[in-house]
Amino acid sequence: MDLIEHEYADLGALQTRRAIHRAYSEPVDDVEEATLALARRWAGAMGTVVDVGCGTGHLLRRWAREGHAGRLVGVDRSAKAVGGTRGDGIEVVLGDACSLPLRDGSVHCLLERHMLYHVADVGKALAEAGRVLRPGGAYVAVVNMRATTPRLAGLLRGCFSSDDMPLPFFPRVDSENLRPLLRDAFGDIEETQYRGELVFREPEPLAALAASLLVFYGLERGTTRHGLMVGALRAEAARLFAGGAGPWRDTKGWTVFVARR
């Protein structure tokens, strides 16, 4: 099992990251609402909407509760995600962004939110999105800005600094290098940027967020090394808040792109 498959075999870490970003971001940010606000224009009330990398399925269920009358389809590589999303009138299929199990020209709006970091070939994924979109359909992507949460990254690197094992390589996808790929694939694009801060006033959520990212530093959950690193992160977070220090702030930013077929 590769690291990405390991990470999403259980959605607990993903849920932790989403919950902490919702609770500790200033100003409050809601990636789902920002995505929906843009996507509703292109899907209409009857359009087919596909969420690639649907994860917990929360966005599709939210759209279903709002009364969307068209097809709502989730696609994910994780069997756990597929099983957890199915129901409430939502169709879910196991699949990959680089080989979507969808017909040509069948989709009014296709969403790929905070998942292109895990795609083997982003150019191929964008071509697949273009293939399944109907003429006039919209592609909506959400990615982080370059160098977002630098203090969090520094905290993680610091805890790994005495470790001799090399960090795994993951392709870097951010708003800067995705922008030209989108223009090559679709032509004109719209983009909306969101900037803010993560603000922690106690160490526990900071340590929990950092621990939820350990798989991307090569550590599988359940291993001795993973447990030791979780302990090190908790100790370092506690040290940062010792003596009443705080709050702990870290800049963050993400971009929503909209491209038309």
Side-chain angles (χ1 to χ4, degrees), residues 39 42-43 48-51 63 107-111 133 137-140:
W42 312 115
T48 294
V49 178
V50 176
D51 187 13
W63 216 329
V107 177
H108 292 79
C109 184
L110 187 138
L111 313 174
L133 283 171
Y139 172 76
V140 181

Side-chain angles (χ1 to χ4, degrees), residues 125-186:
L126 297 181
E128 272 291 274
R131 176 184 68 79
V132 304
L133 283 171
R134 67 189 297 274
Y139 172 76
V140 181
V142 182
V143 294
N144 286 329
M145 294 179 187
R146 183 164 294 176
T148 194
T149 58
R151 293 193 71 190
L152 178 62
L155 172 63
L156 282 156
R157 286 195 303 269
C159 285
F160 277 87
S161 62
S162 62
D163 197 309
D164 293 331
M165 292 189 66
L167 298 182
F169 171 78
F170 289 102
R172 293 183 62 86
V173 179
D174 55 44
S175 56
E176 295 303 312
N177 57 30
L178 181 61
R179 187 179 294 113
L181 294 176
L182 285 168
R183 287 178 176 148
D184 287 346
F186 293 101

Side-chain angles (χ1 to χ4, degrees), residues 1 4 28 85 88 104 113 131 135 139-140 164 167 185 191 232 240:
M1 180 181 293
I4 297 302
V28 174
T85 300
D88 299 322
D104 293 2
R113 302 166 296 125
R131 176 184 68 79
Y139 172 76
V140 181
D164 293 331
L167 298 182
E191 63 179 279
L240 291 171

Side-chain angles (χ1 to χ4, degrees), residues 181-200:
L181 294 176
L182 285 168
R183 287 178 176 148
D184 287 346
F186 293 101
D188 292 337
I189 56 174
E190 301 175 26
E191 63 179 279
T192 307
Q193 296 184 344
Y194 297 83
R195 298 178 185 273
E197 292 182 306
L198 277 171
V199 182
F200 297 109

